[in-house]
Amino acid sequence: MRRTAALGAAGSLVAGALIAGAIAATPASAGVNHQRGSAEDRGVKLAAARAADAGVDWQTCPKDWGLDAPIQCGFVTVPVDYAKPNGKKIKIAVDRAKSTGTKGERQGSLVYNPGGPGGSGLRFPTRVTTKNPIYAKMAKAYDFVGFDPRGVGHSSPISCADPQEFVKAPKADPVPDSEADKRAQRKLAAEYAEGCKERSGSLLRHMTTPNTVRDLDVVRAALGDKKLNYLGVSYGTYLGAVYATLFPDHVRRMLVDSVVNPSREKVWYQANLDQDLAFETRWGDWKKWVAKNDATYHIGDTPEKVQAQWEKLRAAAKKSPLGGKVGPAELTGFFQNAPYYDSMWAPVAKAWSAYVAGDEKPIIENAAPDMSDKAGNIASENGNAVYTAVECNDAKWPTSWQRWDRDNTRIHEKAPFMTWSNAWMNLPCATWPEKQQTPVNVKTGKGLPSVLIVQSERDAATPYEGAVELHRRLAGSRMITEKDAGSHGVTGQVNPCINDRVDAYFVDGKTDAKDVTCTPHATPKP
């Protein structure tokens, strides 16, 4: 899931360069034991049994959560450290919209994660209360359940920096002009990593994907469901894949949408470099669309002219930030919305078109931070903190700056739009103060039913190869490919070829006999 205008750890404004979790293999001798019979395994069984007894005390949601009735809210208690289930506890915030069907139609809860790491799922039940037609059939069968993962939002939020300082703009241009620029960014990244340790305390080291997955199993038990029905998008696909590995016989139905690459060599460092290249491809798709609609936008009638206008805008903002707040870093954060989501193609182009015509206000309004929105800034900083903590804890990162410099310089030559922004955002992992783990070996376990995988062919945030690799690892899985499309998060798009199959899977438990390729959803209109 995209983090709106979240600031990169080292000072680059990045609206969503968060790879949606990566999945890697681990030998049995790895330092963290995810095997059955381990202390963590015993701990999660105990926590789940306690949660099943306690249930969820559903109440009207607190006013400041922005979730109106009939949505209900509650908490589920989980251990901070599953190896010590009787030790320190935290509460996981959950919410639900009850199924709209009859008692006979109800099939349990459908739990959702939108991505991140750091994304909140609490808006998911509004898909029922707003009567979103894409989800109408599923809403008859399931209570729609969202949650804030550990460290996020209302679930013991962590922090790495003062939120108001974190959002302050303009930041330095993410594309370095000199070695001095690189040294400055490295200093910011190291300070950010240290800030995570100082501000997040003992919870920081336990901010991992496997722990969030264990929390998910405890939530399942608290909801009264013997088995999990799950929809995960972006990083949520990683949570799903790890859940399927650790709790294969607890899965009833699972759909993963916009999937990461589960190759051991990818998590997380290489996955981000792959993402840079995929973003450049999708950036090219959008430039072609802008050029094709030049009669509307007047930016340029060829992709080359559109690119030239981008470079012109970037240079102008670097020399004199728009409104005193929007430089190249902030521009990258705003413009990155377009390759991320088709729904942002027209809004970004419209704001840019206004700038070309002499009105810079729309870009400023969209790209500059709102210093008065303290709650939003806290949420933005929190999202970035969780993203950083989970990524840095989950896997071992290169500590050699020479490697970071060499790899990102090489990728930048092919993919200049986002590479350095992404590098600075992830660089705190090079000096991370906590022990970095070896990820779970994602694979098919005994009792795992057919998992449904949905992926667009030209996704920027989670390149297509990731879905193919996960499909290979999960025996019996089925894959739906949206051909010649690239929006991140496919199941929310209107495309009957996909929507009907998602309904058939969740409502009737049916998948196609073989993998399916769908034509793309409608191209955005200018």
Side-chain angles (χ1 to χ4, degrees), residues 33-101:
N33 195 343
H34 304 302
Q35 306 301 315
R36 297 214 164 185
S38 67
E40 289 84 359
D41 184 50
R42 292 191 298 272
V44 73
K45 285 176 180 173
L46 180 59
R50 288 170 173 167
D53 287 342
V56 180
D57 181 18
W58 294 110
Q59 302 283 345
T60 301
C61 298
K63 280 188 177 180
D64 62 347
W65 289 23
L67 299 163
D68 297 330
I71 296 173
Q72 299 172 304
C73 293
F75 291 94
V76 176
T77 301
V78 301
V80 169
D81 181 353
Y82 278 93
K84 300 174 182 176
N86 295 316
K88 189 177 179 184
K89 311 280 199 305
I90 56 173
K91 292 183 183 295
I92 302 298
V94 295
D95 69 340
R96 74 173 179 184
K98 286 187 175 181
S99 63
T100 60

Side-chain angles (χ1 to χ4, degrees), residues 335-369:
F335 276 74
Q336 191 183 329
N337 286 290
Y340 228 105
Y341 300 115
D342 290 8
S343 61
M344 292 301 295
W345 280 19
V348 176
K350 184 179 179 182
W352 193 6
S353 178
Y355 173 84
V356 171
D359 180 10
E360 59 183 29
K361 189 178 177 184
I363 285 184
I364 295 169
E365 288 178 344
N366 281 284

Side-chain angles (χ1 to χ4, degrees), residues 187-237:
K187 183 172 183 285
L188 285 169
E191 289 171 352
Y192 186 85
E194 194 55 41
C196 293
K197 179 81 171 175
E198 291 173 2
R199 296 173 68 95
S200 297
S202 60
L203 182 57
L204 186 65
R205 74 189 64 171
H206 301 290
M207 293 292 301
T208 67
T209 296
N211 278 336
T212 302
V213 162
R214 294 179 183 112
D215 295 344
L216 180 57
D217 197 56
V218 177
V219 168
R220 170 202 59 78
L223 293 170
D225 290 350
K226 295 293 183 188
K227 296 198 174 188
L228 178 72
N229 303 293
Y230 178 76
L231 171 58
V233 183
S234 194
Y235 169 75
T237 68

Side-chain angles (χ1 to χ4, degrees), residues 1-3 6 16-22 113-120 149-152 158 207-209 212 233-239 260 268 272 275 340 379-394 397 425-426:
M1 182 183 175
R2 180 178 63 89
R3 281 169 297 114
L18 47 148
I19 172 76
N113 181 272
S120 168
R150 60 169 54 205
V152 175
I158 66 165
M207 293 292 301
T208 67
T209 296
T212 302
V233 183
S234 194
Y235 169 75
T237 68
Y238 182 35
L239 291 179
V260 299
W268 286 82
N272 277 283
Q275 187 188 53
Y340 228 105
S380 185
E381 191 278 324
N382 170 237
N384 198 86
V386 174
Y387 168 85
T388 306
V390 173
E391 274 215 358
C392 297
N393 282 332
D394 265 3
W397 286 74
M425 183 173 176
N426 292 298

Side-chain angles (χ1 to χ4, degrees), residues 486-514:
S487 200
H488 187 61
V490 179
T491 50
Q493 303 285 337
V494 176
N495 187 335
C497 177
I498 295 168
N499 305 144
D500 292 349
R501 286 177 166 85
V502 172
D503 282 342
Y505 177 72
F506 275 121
V507 177
D508 302 315
K510 294 179 180 177
T511 58
D512 290 270
K514 57 184 181 180

Side-chain angles (χ1 to χ4, degrees), residues 254-298:
M254 176 177 288
L255 186 151
V256 287
D257 171 359
S258 304
V259 185
V260 299
N261 197 315
S263 165
R264 172 185 233 177
E265 286 71 33
K266 300 294 184 182
V267 65
W268 286 82
Y269 179 75
Q270 186 60 46
N272 277 283
L273 296 176
D274 292 348
Q275 187 188 53
D276 297 336
L277 295 166
F279 258 97
E280 197 70 27
T281 297
R282 195 60 179 161
W283 171 250
D285 291 347
W286 181 63
K287 288 188 294 186
K288 288 177 186 173
W289 180 85
V290 172
K292 184 180 176 183
N293 292 290
D294 189 53
T296 301
Y297 299 118
H298 311 293

